[in-house]
Amino acid sequence: MNRIRKGDQVVVIAGKDKGKKGDVIRVAGDKVVVSNINVIKRHTKPNPQAGQPGGVIEREAPIHISNVMLFNPATGKGERVAFKVLEDGRKLRVFRSSGEAI
């Protein structure tokens, strides 16, 4: 079970976008793509077969999962994640500081 999943709100703790918040769009191994974080400009050629216009396209690039932290709305900060195993064997993600479920 991953500590950070698609749809989670995270805060960036390192890099050029430090302090910014966004939602996780995609998780791929040890990289995550976060909305409006690590935006790059990609110069693309037009591809008429795919119906793709050319020009400069802005999109989010992946960043390492160690550079983001799960955002806790109760405290307004990024917090670490722990796992709690329930009686029926299911795993539950909880915040380390308060122990509340995510």
Side-chain angles (χ1 to χ4, degrees), residues 8-33:
D8 286 344
Q9 190 173 23
V10 294
V11 61
V12 180
I13 58 171
K16 67 176 184 177
D17 293 322
K18 182 177 179 178
K20 292 185 182 178
K21 287 183 280 194
D23 294 324
V24 175
I25 299 170
R26 187 171 70 244
V27 178
D30 60 349
K31 303 263 186 174
V32 291
V33 178

Side-chain angles (χ1 to χ4, degrees), residues 44-54 57:
T44 59
K45 281 186 169 181
N47 186 353
Q49 292 175 338
Q52 184 179 12
I57 299 169

Side-chain angles (χ1 to χ4, degrees), residues 62-102:
I63 57 174
H64 200 271
I65 204 163
S66 67
N67 294 332
V68 296
M69 215 174 210
L70 204 59
F71 181 73
N72 187 351
T75 61
K77 299 180 191 174
E79 297 203 6
R80 295 187 298 163
V81 178
F83 294 103
K84 186 183 284 186
V85 180
L86 302 176
E87 291 83 25
D88 57 356
R90 290 184 297 138
K91 274 183 165 180
L92 184 68
R93 294 184 304 161
V94 296
F95 288 114
R96 288 231 181 213
S97 62
S98 59
E100 67 178 270
I102 298 171

